[in-house]
Amino acid sequence: MSKKPRKTAPRGQPKSSVAAPNRPAASPGHATGERIARALESIALQLSAAAPTSDNADQLDGADAFVWHPDGRLAPVPRVSRVDLDLLKGIDRMRDILIENTLRFANGLPANNALLWGARGMGKSSLVKAAHASINLNRKPAGRLKLIEIHREDIESLPALMAQLRRSNFHFIVFCDDLSFDGNDASYKSLKAVLEGGIEGRPDNVILYATSNRRHLLPRDMMENERSTAINPGEAVEEKVSLSDRFGLWLGFHRCSQDEYLAMVKGYCGHFGIEIAATDLERDALEWSTTRGSRSGRVAWQFTQELAGRLGVRLSGKQPN
């Protein structure tokens, strides 16, 4: 029986250039291993971020507001972009409830996490920042509330932030603006665990305030997808809906009436010293809202800027965002 000749590289060419046999494609197990490795790297990063640092401890004394970074840093905010509490019109009931809840928390009494949801531009985030400033107005440095903003895309690092804040003597409002979840995003589970579901739970010195245009934070199609693919559809949907339920305080913000809109405009004009005949002001403000197709605090502020610019009035002091 004859033997097949061995393949050799051409004369003068290194042996390494001989074509290697085709390798099989990566198996599903290999892909799973890569996902596990990435998950472990993410966990390691969170554990590293959870370690207390002397820099963060020192910074907490030097500022009242911070932005959280998932690498473990708390970046101080020397000047918070906020509007005076008295300028927030048409949301009196929500304002009073949130102020009372925040004051209880600052005094060491039981208080609820709060979800501010509803129409765009009606002052949800402005109210959170104004409430924080109002509570701190006459407080001594040791008793001042700290406001920490965490970005929506950094929610997965929330447990690491909680680990840092748990060791502090200060009280903290952790604030997430425009919170919602889409598609296959599973980071909501980190928020759910921190709100009440984890072993440690929420630290006593931390309260969570979030704003959202959605009452349930998750879109209907996302819940329906869970229903169609789950072994127990009812439980799967209930798990997602229960995320909002873990905020003990729900404050709904609805589109304002024409009278409320005009009251906002007049409040801004009075605050910044913009003088104009009442009939002209109302006519121009209503025309502005018609061109924008809506009435809200944000539209009222945008009109005020337009009017001030037209009349040559400078807007000084703290302004709405």
Side-chain angles (χ1 to χ4, degrees):
M1 187 174 182
S2 61
K3 296 182 179 180
K4 293 182 179 180
R6 297 175 58 185
K7 293 183 179 180
T8 59
R11 187 181 299 273
Q13 186 175 355
K15 293 182 179 181
S16 59
S17 64
V18 178
N22 293 333
R23 295 180 179 177
S27 64
H30 178 71
T32 301
E34 289 184 347
R35 288 197 297 270
I36 293 174
R38 287 195 297 268
L40 290 175
E41 289 177 0
S42 176
I43 293 172
L45 177 61
Q46 292 189 24
L47 291 175
S48 175
T53 63
S54 58
D55 291 342
N56 281 346
D58 295 339
Q59 288 175 354
L60 290 175
D61 291 323
D64 285 341
F66 303 84
V67 174
W68 165 255
H69 295 275
D71 61 2
R73 290 180 297 118
L74 285 169
V77 180
R79 182 180 180 274
V80 177
S81 176
R82 60 164 57 100
V83 56
D84 293 338
L85 192 63
D86 294 338
L87 289 178
L88 297 176
K89 306 293 184 180
I91 55 172
D92 295 357
R93 179 175 175 275
M94 287 74 77
R95 177 200 63 201
D96 293 345
I97 293 174
L98 191 68
I99 288 290
E100 182 180 357
N101 190 71
T102 308
L103 183 59
R104 289 176 184 170
F105 172 68
N107 291 334
L109 297 173
N112 276 307
N113 302 313
L115 174 63
L116 292 72
W117 66 275
R120 293 180 176 86
M122 283 303 297
K124 298 185 293 294
S125 60
S126 294
L127 179 57
V128 172
K129 292 181 284 187
H132 169 251
S134 175
I135 297 300
N136 276 350
L137 192 58
N138 297 314
R139 285 187 168 268
K140 296 180 180 179
R144 295 174 72 85
L145 285 177
K146 306 295 181 179
L147 180 67
I148 298 180
E149 182 176 19
I150 180 170
H151 296 141
R152 157 66 191 88
E153 57 270 21
D154 298 329
I155 284 294
E156 285 187 325
S157 66
L158 191 56
L161 173 59
M162 294 297 105
Q164 279 201 28
L165 302 185
R166 192 184 298 273
R167 291 182 279 268
S168 175
N169 293 325
F170 288 107
H171 280 62
F172 301 91
I173 300 174
V174 174
F175 171 51
C176 185
D177 193 22
D178 197 19
L179 179 63
S180 62
F181 301 91
D182 294 300
N184 296 320
D185 188 354
S187 60
Y188 75 91
K189 295 182 179 179
S190 298
L191 174 61
K192 184 178 177 181
V194 168
L195 284 172
E196 283 179 7
I199 294 177
E200 292 182 300
R202 172 171 58 90
D204 292 336
N205 63 332
V206 177
I207 200 168
L208 286 96
Y209 286 175
T211 69
S212 177
N213 296 324
R214 299 172 180 166
R215 183 175 184 178
H216 290 296
L217 299 180
L218 299 152
R220 182 176 298 275
D221 58 347
M222 185 176 176
M223 290 189 232
E224 291 300 328
N225 182 59
E226 286 291 323
R227 185 190 300 275
S228 63
T229 59
I231 296 175
N232 190 322
E235 290 183 359
V237 174
E238 182 64 27
E239 178 188 4
K240 291 183 177 293
V241 173
S242 68
L243 177 61
S244 296
D245 291 342
R246 292 176 186 267
F247 288 91
L249 191 61
W250 284 13
L251 299 177
F253 290 68
H254 307 286
R255 297 188 182 279
C256 62
S257 66
Q258 178 173 297
D259 290 342
E260 289 170 336
Y261 167 73
L262 290 175
M264 295 172 187
V265 171
K266 292 174 182 177
Y268 287 143
C269 289
H271 179 77
F272 293 108
I274 302 174
E275 297 181 358
I276 183 175
T279 54
D280 294 339
L281 177 62
E282 291 187 7
R283 183 194 66 240
D284 292 352
L286 292 176
E287 182 180 349
W288 179 270
S289 69
T290 300
T291 61
R292 296 302 303 271
S294 66
R295 292 189 297 261
S296 68
R298 182 176 298 147
V299 172
W301 170 241
Q302 291 167 346
F303 167 74
T304 303
Q305 292 184 98
E306 163 68 19
L307 182 62
R310 189 200 316 163
L311 298 179
V313 177
R314 295 184 181 275
L315 299 179
S316 59
K318 297 176 180 178
Q319 304 177 12
N321 55 346

